[in-house]
Amino acid sequence: MTLLRYAYSTLIELSQPVQNHSFSLRCQPMQSYNQRTVWQRTTLIPFTEATQTVDAFGNVVTSGFIAQRHNFFAYEAIGLVDTTIKAETPQYAVNDSVYLYPTQLTTPSPNMIDVAKQVGPLSDARSKIECVMDILMSKMSYQQGTTDVNTTAEQAWAQRMGVCQDFAHISIVMCRLLKLPARYVCGLMLGHGQTHAWVEAFDGSAWIAFDPTNSQWVNADRYIKFAHGRDFADCSISRGTFTGVAQQKMTVSVDVWEE
């Protein structure tokens, strides 16, 4: 049995008080064939009642509303996850066609289409994924501060640099061009740092997870999955709106360690 304990916190400081703050969070581990939540707790400050729903992609969403004026918003998600692979349990069968089509963040450029055409006639999904990881390893550079959450795969590819979100979006584009349904995954990785993004591709019977930023297959005992979707916009960990004019400063802390 592999147990991973996690502590994930976000502090959003606001330059002016705001009110009527609606928020939605995807910071609870998903339940799947190789991941089971032993226990988890999410704390909100300012305190407010929250509800939990499941979105169209199967992600658990914690939502709430803060009516009173406040100049910061913080949440902490902690828990313990069993990431033991249960080989006897099949991976979930899904209608994967939704993960074949481009989105605003994953529309290919002509050059990306040309690069994908250069991949040889490979029949199995793992060989195709290995080619995708090799392409990114040889052509992309990891550089913080060069992109933001609105950067498209085409824009990141054009400048040949970005962060894990961009590596994931570009990989999704390449997989779909190679006729592999692919989806964006957000979550945590063993160690101290930030949230992380990777990709799952469907081979016809199972989802295969890989980490294009680190050019490696996703090992279940090093990753905790929070949510998935067609791209980042479907499964961002935090999203919200409020009434007021304020600049935001966000501080994120992530720690994942083996129990």
Side-chain angles (χ1 to χ4, degrees):
M1 176 182 291
T2 301
L3 295 175
L4 294 181
R5 188 179 293 271
Y6 69 92
Y8 165 60
S9 64
T10 295
L11 169 64
I12 302 174
E13 299 173 273
L14 302 158
S15 59
Q16 302 286 340
V18 302
Q19 58 190 0
N20 299 326
H21 181 180
S22 297
F23 62 87
S24 60
L25 309 174
R26 291 171 177 81
C27 57
Q28 181 172 320
M30 293 188 74
Q31 307 298 311
S32 70
Y33 84 106
N34 67 344
Q35 178 174 285
R36 180 182 64 86
T37 302
V38 179
W39 65 269
Q40 64 85 29
R41 184 176 73 241
T42 302
T43 304
L44 305 171
I45 304 174
F47 172 78
T48 185
E49 295 291 340
T51 60
Q52 283 195 342
T53 56
V54 177
D55 67 16
F57 299 99
N59 306 315
V60 177
V61 183
T62 300
S63 303
F65 179 77
I66 305 173
Q68 70 269 28
R69 289 165 62 84
H70 56 286
N71 56 12
F72 75 94
F73 174 61
Y75 59 93
E76 180 187 54
I78 61 174
L80 184 66
V81 178
D82 176 6
T83 61
T84 304
I85 296 179
K86 302 170 180 61
E88 74 281 359
T89 305
Q91 297 197 32
Y92 25 83
V94 299
N95 178 3
D96 55 66
S97 61
V98 68
Y99 298 112
L100 275 171
Y101 299 105
T103 64
Q104 183 175 346
L105 292 172
T106 59
T107 298
S109 67
N111 179 257
M112 298 172 82
I113 295 173
D114 290 340
V115 171
K117 287 179 179 178
Q118 296 171 18
V119 176
L122 304 172
S123 58
D124 65 293
R126 286 189 176 270
S127 295
K128 291 179 180 180
I129 293 169
E130 286 176 348
C131 283
V132 169
M133 288 196 285
D134 288 344
I135 288 170
L136 267 74
M137 177 61 67
S138 64
K139 296 185 180 297
M140 288 290 294
S141 173
Y142 184 93
Q143 294 290 337
Q144 291 185 334
T146 57
T147 59
D148 59 34
V149 295
N150 298 310
T151 301
T152 66
E154 181 179 3
Q155 292 168 334
W157 177 256
Q159 67 182 20
R160 296 294 195 271
M161 62 181 67
V163 294
C164 61
Q165 174 181 308
D166 307 298
F167 278 66
H169 281 154
I170 294 169
S171 297
I172 287 170
V173 170
M174 293 296 181
C175 283
R176 290 173 182 170
L177 289 171
L178 296 173
K179 309 304 181 185
L180 281 178
R183 63 191 184 191
Y184 185 101
V185 181
C186 65
L188 312 177
M189 189 176 179
L190 189 68
H192 174 76
Q194 298 284 317
T195 57
H196 194 48
W198 59 95
V199 179
E200 292 176 341
F202 196 60
D203 70 354
S205 61
W207 288 100
I208 303 172
F210 66 100
D211 181 351
T213 307
N214 295 298
S215 195
Q216 64 186 22
W217 302 106
V218 168
N219 188 333
D221 63 5
R222 294 180 58 85
Y223 293 78
I224 296 176
K225 177 179 177 178
F226 278 170
H228 64 235
R230 296 166 300 174
D231 59 21
F232 167 80
D234 285 337
C235 53
S236 59
I237 293 180
S238 174
R239 181 170 294 163
T241 60
F242 53 72
T243 301
V245 179
Q247 299 294 317
Q248 301 180 56
K249 177 185 176 183
M250 179 180 292
T251 304
V252 176
S253 176
V254 172
D255 282 292
V256 179
W257 65 98
E258 193 169 339
E259 183 74 356

